Amino acid sequence: MARIPEPLVVGRVIGDVLDSFTPTTHMSVTYNAKLVCNGLELFPSVVTAKPRVEIQGGELRSFFTLVMIDPDCPGPSDPYLREHLHWIVTDIPGTADAAFGREALSYEMPRPNIGIHRFVFVLFKQKRRQSINPPSSRDCFSTRSFAAENDLGLPVAAVYFNAQRETAARRR
């Protein structure tokens, strides 16, 4: 029997953004009660406000860092601004949601102009409470470098959704 491919591998999140990892924590991301699943398409009009990000399976004294990026900026055929950074939240308690963390970089709503973009949420378990310096630019961010510079290790969870430019006809 053939093995079902991992959605993060099929969606090229593993490879383009992250190295292979084993998920150890459950993270749920919801926009207006719409649960984000790998590969789900969401309209930009649905993702204007920051989502609710809940962490389950963390311990009371553990803390997490959340990063949201667009690896397809400005367009999937030539992503020369890869990765565009949309959000960083640190010190999220292990039994709470991202609203209880420290927003190191404010949420920027997705605005894809050309093609279908992937928007990736990556969760890291922190070794301790820590202060993170946000990058000077949202463009050309590297999730791998960010994790290495801040001693975060491999991710513990990740999920992504797709979005493309919303025309007037699609909004109806």
Side-chain angles (χ1 to χ4, degrees):
M1 178 172 242
R3 189 174 157 228
I4 298 172
E6 169 66 40
L8 295 173
V9 173
V10 172
R12 296 183 343 271
V13 171
I14 302 291
D16 286 353
V17 179
L18 304 171
D19 294 323
S20 188
F21 71 97
T22 302
T24 58
T25 303
H26 179 73
M27 170 179 64
S28 65
V29 179
T30 54
Y31 283 98
N32 301 320
K34 185 105 174 153
L35 181 65
V36 173
C37 301
N38 288 317
L40 176 72
E41 183 172 356
L42 294 173
F43 294 124
S45 59
V46 173
V47 296
T48 56
K50 62 179 137 183
R52 180 179 175 95
V53 179
E54 295 179 286
I55 300 166
Q56 296 144 5
E59 299 113 29
L60 186 58
R61 295 177 191 221
S62 58
F63 294 95
F64 295 87
T65 293
L66 175 73
V67 176
M68 178 187 175
I69 58 100
D70 173 1
D72 302 314
C73 193
S77 62
D78 185 19
Y80 65 87
L81 296 176
R82 173 179 290 169
E83 303 159 16
H84 183 79
L85 182 59
H86 283 268
W87 197 25
I88 298 178
V89 183
T90 64
D91 295 334
I92 304 167
T95 57
D97 64 54
F100 292 94
R102 187 179 67 80
E103 197 171 59
L105 189 67
S106 63
Y107 179 79
E108 179 183 87
M109 69 175 268
R111 291 187 193 103
N113 286 324
I114 304 165
I116 299 170
H117 290 239
R118 297 164 292 167
F119 293 90
V120 184
F121 294 90
V122 185
L123 188 69
F124 296 96
K125 185 173 183 178
Q126 297 172 202
K127 293 184 169 108
R128 63 198 166 288
R129 281 190 104 137
Q130 63 190 74
S131 179
I132 291 184
N133 295 322
S136 57
S137 171
R138 289 181 183 256
D139 290 326
C140 302
F141 179 78
S142 169
T143 303
R144 287 180 179 104
S145 295
F146 174 79
E149 291 164 8
N150 292 287
D151 195 26
L152 295 171
L154 289 173
V156 294
V159 66
Y160 79 99
F161 69 90
N162 295 321
Q164 59 185 310
R165 186 171 177 210
E166 193 170 0
T167 63
R170 292 183 74 193
R171 279 190 284 252
R172 288 188 206 143

